[in-house]
Amino acid sequence: GYGVKKSATGALQHLQFAVQGEGATANIKTHATHVSASISNVLLWTDQAIAKAQEVRAAPDAGAARLVAELAVLVGQINEGTDANQDGQIDWQVGEGGLQQAHTHMTLMMKGEGLENAPR
């Protein structure tokens, strides 16, 4: 019962704690914004993937293949993000970033705080 949605929701909550905490640095605040945007995308796409998976379960065999392909796109977006503005790269912004972009900016945040060797 502990999956992407619960993890992403918890990550957003902890990011807010970090940003609101005493002594939060500009580095934390900047990268928390980037991570939050990407995680918000992940939550949206996760809800869409759950709904699509329910459609797959209810679909007759003939219609399931198309729905599975749509589900695969959503799962890819959750992990890799998507180039929503078609500029040739996937950034952290709303509508683009996924788990990979959230991870990248968490790593940058940790390095900025001198925690590059912290366990993950």
Side-chain angles (χ1 to χ4, degrees):
Y2 201 92
V4 172
K5 190 170 182 173
K6 198 171 203 176
S7 297
T9 300
L12 279 177
Q13 182 181 25
H14 282 55
L15 279 168
Q16 287 301 331
F17 294 153
V19 168
Q20 295 169 359
E22 186 177 320
T25 64
N27 172 64
I28 290 173
K29 292 176 183 178
T30 296
H31 288 295
T33 299
H34 302 169
V35 175
S36 293
S38 292
I39 291 176
S40 294
N41 294 334
V42 167
L43 286 170
L44 173 67
W45 295 326
T46 299
D47 285 341
Q48 291 173 352
I50 290 167
K52 190 63 63 178
Q54 291 169 341
E55 286 181 51
V56 169
R57 288 181 63 191
D61 291 343
R66 176 186 54 80
L67 294 171
V68 169
E70 292 172 8
L71 178 59
V73 169
L74 287 165
V75 171
Q77 288 175 314
I78 290 167
N79 186 47
E80 301 157 13
T82 189
D83 184 9
N85 64 4
Q86 312 243 321
D87 67 353
Q89 59 187 13
I90 300 172
D91 291 318
W92 57 266
Q93 288 87 351
V94 172
E96 288 218 1
L99 291 173
Q100 288 180 1
Q101 291 71 32
H103 180 266
T104 295
H105 286 276
M106 280 300 299
T107 300
L108 291 170
M109 181 191 304
M110 289 171 44
K111 283 183 180 179
E113 296 301 310
L115 301 171
E116 54 268 355
N117 294 321
R120 296 175 217 184

mmCIF file of all heavy atoms in Angstrom, residues 50-100:
data_model
loop_
_atom_site.group_PDB
_atom_site.id
_atom_site.type_symbol
_atom_site.label_atom_id
_atom_site.label_comp_id
_atom_site.label_asym_id
_atom_site.label_seq_id
_atom_site.Cartn_x
_atom_site.Cartn_y
_atom_site.Cartn_z
ATOM 1 N N ILE A 50 -3.666 5.821 -12.551
ATOM 2 C CA ILE A 50 -4.592 4.981 -11.785
ATOM 3 C C ILE A 50 -5.929 4.900 -12.506
ATOM 4 O O ILE A 50 -6.497 3.812 -12.675
ATOM 5 C CB ILE A 50 -4.757 5.517 -10.346
ATOM 6 C CG1 ILE A 50 -3.463 5.304 -9.560
ATOM 7 C CG2 ILE A 50 -5.943 4.855 -9.646
ATOM 8 C CD1 ILE A 50 -3.399 6.073 -8.246
ATOM 9 N N ALA A 51 -6.431 6.035 -12.947
ATOM 10 C CA ALA A 51 -7.697 6.052 -13.677
ATOM 11 C C ALA A 51 -7.596 5.247 -14.976
ATOM 12 O O ALA A 51 -8.515 4.494 -15.332
ATOM 13 C CB ALA A 51 -8.121 7.491 -13.974
ATOM 14 N N LYS A 52 -6.466 5.392 -15.674
ATOM 15 C CA LYS A 52 -6.274 4.660 -16.936
ATOM 16 C C LYS A 52 -6.189 3.160 -16.660
ATOM 17 O O LYS A 52 -6.750 2.352 -17.415
ATOM 18 C CB LYS A 52 -5.010 5.151 -17.651
ATOM 19 C CG LYS A 52 -4.847 4.649 -19.044
ATOM 20 C CD LYS A 52 -5.945 5.111 -19.991
ATOM 21 C CE LYS A 52 -5.973 6.602 -20.164
ATOM 22 N NZ LYS A 52 -7.012 7.046 -21.115
ATOM 23 N N ALA A 53 -5.519 2.762 -15.601
ATOM 24 C CA ALA A 53 -5.420 1.341 -15.254
ATOM 25 C C ALA A 53 -6.802 0.767 -14.949
ATOM 26 O O ALA A 53 -7.105 -0.376 -15.319
ATOM 27 C CB ALA A 53 -4.481 1.145 -14.071
ATOM 28 N N GLN A 54 -7.645 1.552 -14.321
ATOM 29 C CA GLN A 54 -9.013 1.104 -14.055
ATOM 30 C C GLN A 54 -9.792 0.945 -15.364
ATOM 31 O O GLN A 54 -10.591 0.010 -15.509
ATOM 32 C CB GLN A 54 -9.710 2.066 -13.101
ATOM 33 C CG GLN A 54 -9.129 1.994 -11.705
ATOM 34 C CD GLN A 54 -9.600 3.108 -10.786
ATOM 35 O OE1 GLN A 54 -10.084 4.136 -11.216
ATOM 36 N NE2 GLN A 54 -9.431 2.890 -9.482
ATOM 37 N N GLU A 55 -9.540 1.826 -16.316
ATOM 38 C CA GLU A 55 -10.156 1.684 -17.636
ATOM 39 C C GLU A 55 -9.685 0.403 -18.314
ATOM 40 O O GLU A 55 -10.479 -0.292 -18.955
ATOM 41 C CB GLU A 55 -9.812 2.874 -18.533
ATOM 42 C CG GLU A 55 -10.517 4.160 -18.205
ATOM 43 C CD GLU A 55 -10.127 5.273 -19.174
ATOM 44 O OE1 GLU A 55 -10.210 5.049 -20.410
ATOM 45 O OE2 GLU A 55 -9.722 6.353 -18.704
ATOM 46 N N VAL A 56 -8.393 0.112 -18.198
ATOM 47 C CA VAL A 56 -7.844 -1.107 -18.794
ATOM 48 C C VAL A 56 -8.542 -2.331 -18.215
ATOM 49 O O VAL A 56 -8.945 -3.240 -18.949
ATOM 50 C CB VAL A 56 -6.314 -1.198 -18.583
ATOM 51 C CG1 VAL A 56 -5.780 -2.577 -18.966
ATOM 52 C CG2 VAL A 56 -5.591 -0.110 -19.354
ATOM 53 N N ARG A 57 -8.687 -2.347 -16.907
ATOM 54 C CA ARG A 57 -9.336 -3.495 -16.243
ATOM 55 C C ARG A 57 -10.764 -3.695 -16.719
ATOM 56 O O ARG A 57 -11.229 -4.829 -16.823
ATOM 57 C CB ARG A 57 -9.322 -3.300 -14.730
ATOM 58 C CG ARG A 57 -7.951 -3.474 -14.128
ATOM 59 C CD ARG A 57 -7.959 -3.310 -12.645
ATOM 60 N NE ARG A 57 -8.780 -4.354 -12.037
ATOM 61 C CZ ARG A 57 -9.147 -4.354 -10.774
ATOM 62 N NH1 ARG A 57 -8.793 -3.372 -9.983
ATOM 63 N NH2 ARG A 57 -9.882 -5.322 -10.287
ATOM 64 N N ALA A 58 -11.462 -2.601 -17.007
ATOM 65 C CA ALA A 58 -12.871 -2.687 -17.403
ATOM 66 C C ALA A 58 -13.065 -2.846 -18.913
ATOM 67 O O ALA A 58 -14.168 -3.140 -19.363
ATOM 68 C CB ALA A 58 -13.606 -1.441 -16.924
ATOM 69 N N ALA A 59 -12.007 -2.681 -19.684
ATOM 70 C CA ALA A 59 -12.136 -2.677 -21.146
ATOM 71 C C ALA A 59 -12.260 -4.087 -21.707
ATOM 72 O O ALA A 59 -11.651 -5.024 -21.192
ATOM 73 C CB ALA A 59 -10.920 -1.995 -21.769
ATOM 74 N N PRO A 60 -13.010 -4.218 -22.782
ATOM 75 C CA PRO A 60 -13.001 -5.500 -23.498
ATOM 76 C C PRO A 60 -11.617 -5.697 -24.126
ATOM 77 O O PRO A 60 -10.879 -4.737 -24.349
ATOM 78 C CB PRO A 60 -14.077 -5.330 -24.565
ATOM 79 C CG PRO A 60 -14.289 -3.857 -24.693
ATOM 80 C CD PRO A 60 -13.871 -3.232 -23.396
ATOM 81 N N ASP A 61 -11.255 -6.930 -24.390
ATOM 82 C CA ASP A 61 -9.931 -7.237 -24.918
ATOM 83 C C ASP A 61 -9.566 -6.393 -26.132
ATOM 84 O O ASP A 61 -8.425 -5.961 -26.260
ATOM 85 C CB ASP A 61 -9.831 -8.723 -25.282
ATOM 86 C CG ASP A 61 -9.838 -9.605 -24.046
ATOM 87 O OD1 ASP A 61 -9.599 -9.084 -22.939
ATOM 88 O OD2 ASP A 61 -10.091 -10.808 -24.193
ATOM 89 N N ALA A 62 -10.501 -6.135 -27.008
ATOM 90 C CA ALA A 62 -10.218 -5.399 -28.244
ATOM 91 C C ALA A 62 -9.788 -3.962 -27.971
ATOM 92 O O ALA A 62 -8.972 -3.407 -28.707
ATOM 93 C CB ALA A 62 -11.439 -5.403 -29.155
ATOM 94 N N GLY A 63 -10.281 -3.351 -26.927
ATOM 95 C CA GLY A 63 -9.943 -1.959 -26.623
ATOM 96 C C GLY A 63 -8.803 -1.782 -25.646
ATOM 97 O O GLY A 63 -8.312 -0.673 -25.442
ATOM 98 N N ALA A 64 -8.365 -2.864 -25.040
ATOM 99 C CA ALA A 64 -7.367 -2.757 -23.974
ATOM 100 C C ALA A 64 -5.996 -2.336 -24.491
ATOM 101 O O ALA A 64 -5.285 -1.608 -23.803
ATOM 102 C CB ALA A 64 -7.268 -4.073 -23.222
ATOM 103 N N ALA A 65 -5.610 -2.740 -25.685
ATOM 104 C CA ALA A 65 -4.264 -2.443 -26.188
ATOM 105 C C ALA A 65 -4.023 -0.940 -26.284
ATOM 106 O O ALA A 65 -2.959 -0.454 -25.886
ATOM 107 C CB ALA A 65 -4.042 -3.106 -27.545
ATOM 108 N N ARG A 66 -4.979 -0.208 -26.779
ATOM 109 C CA ARG A 66 -4.837 1.257 -26.885
ATOM 110 C C ARG A 66 -4.714 1.875 -25.502
ATOM 111 O O ARG A 66 -3.877 2.751 -25.267
ATOM 112 C CB ARG A 66 -6.033 1.847 -27.633
ATOM 113 C CG ARG A 66 -6.003 3.374 -27.709
ATOM 114 C CD ARG A 66 -7.269 3.963 -28.339
ATOM 115 N NE ARG A 66 -8.511 3.543 -27.707
ATOM 116 C CZ ARG A 66 -9.007 4.071 -26.571
ATOM 117 N NH1 ARG A 66 -8.350 5.029 -25.946
ATOM 118 N NH2 ARG A 66 -10.155 3.645 -26.069
ATOM 119 N N LEU A 67 -5.524 1.408 -24.569
ATOM 120 C CA LEU A 67 -5.491 1.948 -23.211
ATOM 121 C C LEU A 67 -4.164 1.610 -22.517
ATOM 122 O O LEU A 67 -3.623 2.442 -21.780
ATOM 123 C CB LEU A 67 -6.673 1.408 -22.403
ATOM 124 C CG LEU A 67 -8.050 1.857 -22.877
ATOM 125 C CD1 LEU A 67 -9.141 1.078 -22.144
ATOM 126 C CD2 LEU A 67 -8.236 3.348 -22.702
ATOM 127 N N VAL A 68 -3.650 0.431 -22.756
ATOM 128 C CA VAL A 68 -2.358 0.046 -22.178
ATOM 129 C C VAL A 68 -1.258 0.948 -22.722
ATOM 130 O O VAL A 68 -0.360 1.373 -21.980
ATOM 131 C CB VAL A 68 -2.053 -1.445 -22.423
ATOM 132 C CG1 VAL A 68 -0.613 -1.785 -22.079
ATOM 133 C CG2 VAL A 68 -3.016 -2.312 -21.625
ATOM 134 N N ALA A 69 -1.313 1.264 -24.008
ATOM 135 C CA ALA A 69 -0.315 2.171 -24.599
ATOM 136 C C ALA A 69 -0.402 3.549 -23.947
ATOM 137 O O ALA A 69 0.629 4.177 -23.664
ATOM 138 C CB ALA A 69 -0.521 2.268 -26.107
ATOM 139 N N GLU A 70 -1.605 4.030 -23.684
ATOM 140 C CA GLU A 70 -1.786 5.322 -23.018
ATOM 141 C C GLU A 70 -1.255 5.263 -21.587
ATOM 142 O O GLU A 70 -0.640 6.218 -21.105
ATOM 143 C CB GLU A 70 -3.258 5.726 -23.031
ATOM 144 C CG GLU A 70 -3.784 6.047 -24.422
ATOM 145 C CD GLU A 70 -5.291 6.266 -24.465
ATOM 146 O OE1 GLU A 70 -5.933 6.323 -23.388
ATOM 147 O OE2 GLU A 70 -5.829 6.361 -25.584
ATOM 148 N N LEU A 71 -1.484 4.145 -20.917
ATOM 149 C CA LEU A 71 -0.971 3.955 -19.562
ATOM 150 C C LEU A 71 0.555 3.962 -19.561
ATOM 151 O O LEU A 71 1.184 4.573 -18.690
ATOM 152 C CB LEU A 71 -1.510 2.651 -18.969
ATOM 153 C CG LEU A 71 -1.030 2.273 -17.573
ATOM 154 C CD1 LEU A 71 -1.366 3.343 -16.544
ATOM 155 C CD2 LEU A 71 -1.634 0.923 -17.170
ATOM 156 N N ALA A 72 1.151 3.331 -20.549
ATOM 157 C CA ALA A 72 2.612 3.300 -20.648
ATOM 158 C C ALA A 72 3.189 4.705 -20.808
ATOM 159 O O ALA A 72 4.233 5.025 -20.232
ATOM 160 C CB ALA A 72 3.050 2.412 -21.814
ATOM 161 N N VAL A 73 2.519 5.561 -21.563
ATOM 162 C CA VAL A 73 2.963 6.954 -21.715
ATOM 163 C C VAL A 73 2.928 7.660 -20.362
ATOM 164 O O VAL A 73 3.881 8.356 -19.983
ATOM 165 C CB VAL A 73 2.112 7.700 -22.759
ATOM 166 C CG1 VAL A 73 2.381 9.194 -22.728
ATOM 167 C CG2 VAL A 73 2.370 7.138 -24.154
ATOM 168 N N LEU A 74 1.861 7.482 -19.612
ATOM 169 C CA LEU A 74 1.745 8.124 -18.301
ATOM 170 C C LEU A 74 2.831 7.639 -17.337
ATOM 171 O O LEU A 74 3.431 8.436 -16.615
ATOM 172 C CB LEU A 74 0.358 7.866 -17.707
ATOM 173 C CG LEU A 74 -0.774 8.632 -18.361
ATOM 174 C CD1 LEU A 74 -2.130 8.051 -17.957
ATOM 175 C CD2 LEU A 74 -0.702 10.109 -18.024
ATOM 176 N N VAL A 75 3.093 6.342 -17.349
ATOM 177 C CA VAL A 75 4.140 5.796 -16.478
ATOM 178 C C VAL A 75 5.502 6.369 -16.876
ATOM 179 O O VAL A 75 6.322 6.710 -16.015
ATOM 180 C CB VAL A 75 4.133 4.253 -16.498
ATOM 181 C CG1 VAL A 75 5.339 3.680 -15.784
ATOM 182 C CG2 VAL A 75 2.844 3.737 -15.880
ATOM 183 N N GLY A 76 5.731 6.518 -18.175
ATOM 184 C CA GLY A 76 6.971 7.143 -18.637
ATOM 185 C C GLY A 76 7.089 8.578 -18.161
ATOM 186 O O GLY A 76 8.165 9.026 -17.752
ATOM 187 N N GLN A 77 5.980 9.308 -18.206
ATOM 188 C CA GLN A 77 5.994 10.698 -17.731
ATOM 189 C C GLN A 77 6.289 10.757 -16.241
ATOM 190 O O GLN A 77 7.034 11.632 -15.789
ATOM 191 C CB GLN A 77 4.649 11.372 -18.020
ATOM 192 C CG GLN A 77 4.436 11.675 -19.473
ATOM 193 C CD GLN A 77 3.056 12.228 -19.748
ATOM 194 O OE1 GLN A 77 2.050 11.708 -19.269
ATOM 195 N NE2 GLN A 77 3.012 13.291 -20.515
ATOM 196 N N ILE A 78 5.713 9.855 -15.475
ATOM 197 C CA ILE A 78 5.975 9.823 -14.039
ATOM 198 C C ILE A 78 7.473 9.698 -13.784
ATOM 199 O O ILE A 78 8.034 10.424 -12.972
ATOM 200 C CB ILE A 78 5.205 8.667 -13.357
ATOM 201 C CG1 ILE A 78 3.702 8.965 -13.363
ATOM 202 C CG2 ILE A 78 5.715 8.411 -11.945
ATOM 203 C CD1 ILE A 78 2.837 7.764 -13.015
ATOM 204 N N ASN A 79 8.111 8.816 -14.483
ATOM 205 C CA ASN A 79 9.530 8.578 -14.268
ATOM 206 C C ASN A 79 10.408 9.629 -14.933
ATOM 207 O O ASN A 79 11.277 10.217 -14.292
ATOM 208 C CB ASN A 79 9.921 7.185 -14.778
ATOM 209 C CG ASN A 79 11.354 6.852 -14.447
ATOM 210 O OD1 ASN A 79 11.793 7.039 -13.320
ATOM 211 N ND2 ASN A 79 12.087 6.380 -15.421
ATOM 212 N N GLU A 80 10.200 9.872 -16.197
ATOM 213 C CA GLU A 80 11.122 10.680 -17.000
ATOM 214 C C GLU A 80 10.682 12.119 -17.215
ATOM 215 O O GLU A 80 11.472 12.939 -17.674
ATOM 216 C CB GLU A 80 11.296 10.018 -18.366
ATOM 217 C CG GLU A 80 11.842 8.624 -18.271
ATOM 218 C CD GLU A 80 11.507 7.765 -19.483
ATOM 219 O OE1 GLU A 80 11.058 8.314 -20.504
ATOM 220 O OE2 GLU A 80 11.686 6.547 -19.374
ATOM 221 N N GLY A 81 9.421 12.440 -16.941
ATOM 222 C CA GLY A 81 8.889 13.750 -17.285
ATOM 223 C C GLY A 81 8.513 13.787 -18.753
ATOM 224 O O GLY A 81 8.521 12.763 -19.436
ATOM 225 N N THR A 82 8.191 14.980 -19.242
ATOM 226 C CA THR A 82 7.816 15.127 -20.643
ATOM 227 C C THR A 82 8.208 16.516 -21.126
ATOM 228 O O THR A 82 8.207 17.470 -20.352
ATOM 229 C CB THR A 82 6.309 14.871 -20.847
ATOM 230 O OG1 THR A 82 6.021 14.829 -22.239
ATOM 231 C CG2 THR A 82 5.450 15.933 -20.191
ATOM 232 N N ASP A 83 8.531 16.616 -22.380
ATOM 233 C CA ASP A 83 8.914 17.902 -22.974
ATOM 234 C C ASP A 83 7.639 18.642 -23.403
ATOM 235 O O ASP A 83 7.326 18.742 -24.577
ATOM 236 C CB ASP A 83 9.855 17.675 -24.160
ATOM 237 C CG ASP A 83 10.374 18.969 -24.761
ATOM 238 O OD1 ASP A 83 10.162 20.047 -24.168
ATOM 239 O OD2 ASP A 83 10.991 18.893 -25.837
ATOM 240 N N ALA A 84 6.925 19.172 -22.429
ATOM 241 C CA ALA A 84 5.621 19.789 -22.687
ATOM 242 C C ALA A 84 5.709 21.018 -23.576
ATOM 243 O O ALA A 84 4.822 21.262 -24.390
ATOM 244 C CB ALA A 84 4.941 20.149 -21.363
ATOM 245 N N ASN A 85 6.759 21.802 -23.437
ATOM 246 C CA ASN A 85 6.870 23.023 -24.240
ATOM 247 C C ASN A 85 7.664 22.804 -25.526
ATOM 248 O O ASN A 85 7.939 23.748 -26.258
ATOM 249 C CB ASN A 85 7.465 24.167 -23.418
ATOM 250 C CG ASN A 85 8.890 23.906 -22.977
ATOM 251 O OD1 ASN A 85 9.506 22.904 -23.315
ATOM 252 N ND2 ASN A 85 9.412 24.829 -22.180
ATOM 253 N N GLN A 86 8.045 21.549 -25.768
ATOM 254 C CA GLN A 86 8.708 21.147 -27.014
ATOM 255 C C GLN A 86 9.972 21.960 -27.315
ATOM 256 O O GLN A 86 10.237 22.285 -28.464
ATOM 257 C CB GLN A 86 7.727 21.245 -28.179
ATOM 258 C CG GLN A 86 6.395 20.608 -27.887
ATOM 259 C CD GLN A 86 6.086 19.444 -28.792
ATOM 260 O OE1 GLN A 86 6.378 19.493 -29.964
ATOM 261 N NE2 GLN A 86 5.503 18.418 -28.230
ATOM 262 N N ASP A 87 10.767 22.216 -26.269
ATOM 263 C CA ASP A 87 12.020 22.948 -26.480
ATOM 264 C C ASP A 87 13.232 22.016 -26.555
ATOM 265 O O ASP A 87 14.369 22.456 -26.578
ATOM 266 C CB ASP A 87 12.233 24.007 -25.395
ATOM 267 C CG ASP A 87 12.478 23.411 -24.014
ATOM 268 O OD1 ASP A 87 12.365 22.175 -23.848
ATOM 269 O OD2 ASP A 87 12.794 24.191 -23.092
ATOM 270 N N GLY A 88 12.974 20.718 -26.590
ATOM 271 C CA GLY A 88 14.054 19.753 -26.729
ATOM 272 C C GLY A 88 14.642 19.256 -25.423
ATOM 273 O O GLY A 88 15.574 18.465 -25.428
ATOM 274 N N GLN A 89 14.112 19.713 -24.294
ATOM 275 C CA GLN A 89 14.614 19.232 -23.006
ATOM 276 C C GLN A 89 13.470 19.138 -22.017
ATOM 277 O O GLN A 89 12.441 19.778 -22.176
ATOM 278 C CB GLN A 89 15.712 20.140 -22.463
ATOM 279 C CG GLN A 89 15.311 21.576 -22.259
ATOM 280 C CD GLN A 89 16.500 22.443 -21.880
ATOM 281 O OE1 GLN A 89 17.647 22.034 -22.006
ATOM 282 N NE2 GLN A 89 16.241 23.638 -21.420
ATOM 283 N N ILE A 90 13.680 18.327 -21.005
ATOM 284 C CA ILE A 90 12.684 18.167 -19.945
ATOM 285 C C ILE A 90 13.232 18.846 -18.703
ATOM 286 O O ILE A 90 14.286 18.469 -18.185
ATOM 287 C CB ILE A 90 12.393 16.680 -19.682
ATOM 288 C CG1 ILE A 90 11.851 16.018 -20.954
ATOM 289 C CG2 ILE A 90 11.399 16.542 -18.529
ATOM 290 C CD1 ILE A 90 11.720 14.508 -20.859
ATOM 291 N N ASP A 91 12.537 19.885 -18.253
ATOM 292 C CA ASP A 91 12.950 20.650 -17.084
ATOM 293 C C ASP A 91 12.050 20.316 -15.907
ATOM 294 O O ASP A 91 11.159 19.486 -16.002
ATOM 295 C CB ASP A 91 12.891 22.153 -17.398
ATOM 296 C CG ASP A 91 13.956 22.573 -18.410
ATOM 297 O OD1 ASP A 91 15.100 22.105 -18.288
ATOM 298 O OD2 ASP A 91 13.628 23.358 -19.309
ATOM 299 N N TRP A 92 12.231 21.010 -14.808
ATOM 300 C CA TRP A 92 11.505 20.756 -13.572
ATOM 301 C C TRP A 92 10.126 21.420 -13.534
ATOM 302 O O TRP A 92 9.326 21.121 -12.653
ATOM 303 C CB TRP A 92 12.322 21.233 -12.371
ATOM 304 C CG TRP A 92 12.699 22.694 -12.447
ATOM 305 C CD1 TRP A 92 13.864 23.199 -12.946
ATOM 306 C CD2 TRP A 92 11.909 23.819 -12.072
ATOM 307 N NE1 TRP A 92 13.857 24.566 -12.886
ATOM 308 C CE2 TRP A 92 12.653 24.991 -12.357
ATOM 309 C CE3 TRP A 92 10.641 23.971 -11.526
ATOM 310 C CZ2 TRP A 92 12.184 26.265 -12.108
ATOM 311 C CZ3 TRP A 92 10.167 25.256 -11.279
ATOM 312 C CH2 TRP A 92 10.936 26.385 -11.563
ATOM 313 N N GLN A 93 9.802 22.280 -14.446
ATOM 314 C CA GLN A 93 8.588 23.093 -14.361
ATOM 315 C C GLN A 93 7.309 22.255 -14.353
ATOM 316 O O GLN A 93 7.285 21.115 -14.786
ATOM 317 C CB GLN A 93 8.516 24.087 -15.531
ATOM 318 C CG GLN A 93 9.489 25.215 -15.431
ATOM 319 C CD GLN A 93 10.854 24.884 -16.024
ATOM 320 O OE1 GLN A 93 11.157 23.765 -16.384
ATOM 321 N NE2 GLN A 93 11.699 25.887 -16.104
ATOM 322 N N VAL A 94 6.242 22.916 -13.899
ATOM 323 C CA VAL A 94 4.922 22.292 -13.911
ATOM 324 C C VAL A 94 4.616 21.837 -15.331
ATOM 325 O O VAL A 94 4.817 22.578 -16.285
ATOM 326 C CB VAL A 94 3.843 23.286 -13.397
ATOM 327 C CG1 VAL A 94 2.448 22.727 -13.595
ATOM 328 C CG2 VAL A 94 4.091 23.626 -11.931
ATOM 329 N N GLY A 95 4.176 20.600 -15.451
ATOM 330 C CA GLY A 95 3.848 20.027 -16.747
ATOM 331 C C GLY A 95 5.005 19.306 -17.411
ATOM 332 O O GLY A 95 4.816 18.631 -18.414
ATOM 333 N N GLU A 96 6.209 19.424 -16.867
ATOM 334 C CA GLU A 96 7.379 18.801 -17.493
ATOM 335 C C GLU A 96 8.077 17.784 -16.594
ATOM 336 O O GLU A 96 8.261 16.656 -16.971
ATOM 337 C CB GLU A 96 8.395 19.873 -17.941
ATOM 338 C CG GLU A 96 7.921 20.643 -19.128
ATOM 339 C CD GLU A 96 9.017 20.980 -20.132
ATOM 340 O OE1 GLU A 96 10.197 20.609 -19.947
ATOM 341 O OE2 GLU A 96 8.664 21.626 -21.119
ATOM 342 N N GLY A 97 8.536 18.201 -15.434
ATOM 343 C CA GLY A 97 9.397 17.358 -14.618
ATOM 344 C C GLY A 97 8.707 16.145 -14.038
ATOM 345 O O GLY A 97 7.530 16.185 -13.685
ATOM 346 N N GLY A 98 9.469 15.060 -13.934
ATOM 347 C CA GLY A 98 9.020 13.829 -13.298
ATOM 348 C C GLY A 98 9.978 13.442 -12.184
ATOM 349 O O GLY A 98 10.694 14.289 -11.643
ATOM 350 N N LEU A 99 10.007 12.170 -11.863
ATOM 351 C CA LEU A 99 10.868 11.702 -10.781
ATOM 352 C C LEU A 99 12.348 11.952 -11.066
ATOM 353 O O LEU A 99 13.107 12.274 -10.151
ATOM 354 C CB LEU A 99 10.618 10.211 -10.512
ATOM 355 C CG LEU A 99 9.267 9.871 -9.900
ATOM 356 C CD1 LEU A 99 9.087 8.359 -9.837
ATOM 357 C CD2 LEU A 99 9.102 10.499 -8.526
ATOM 358 N N GLN A 100 12.765 11.810 -12.310
ATOM 359 C CA GLN A 100 14.182 12.049 -12.623
ATOM 360 C C GLN A 100 14.578 13.494 -12.335
ATOM 361 O O GLN A 100 15.645 13.746 -11.773
ATOM 362 C CB GLN A 100 14.479 11.691 -14.076
ATOM 363 C CG GLN A 100 14.476 10.210 -14.329
ATOM 364 C CD GLN A 100 14.774 9.863 -15.776
ATOM 365 O OE1 GLN A 100 15.009 10.728 -16.612
ATOM 366 N NE2 GLN A 100 14.768 8.576 -16.075
#
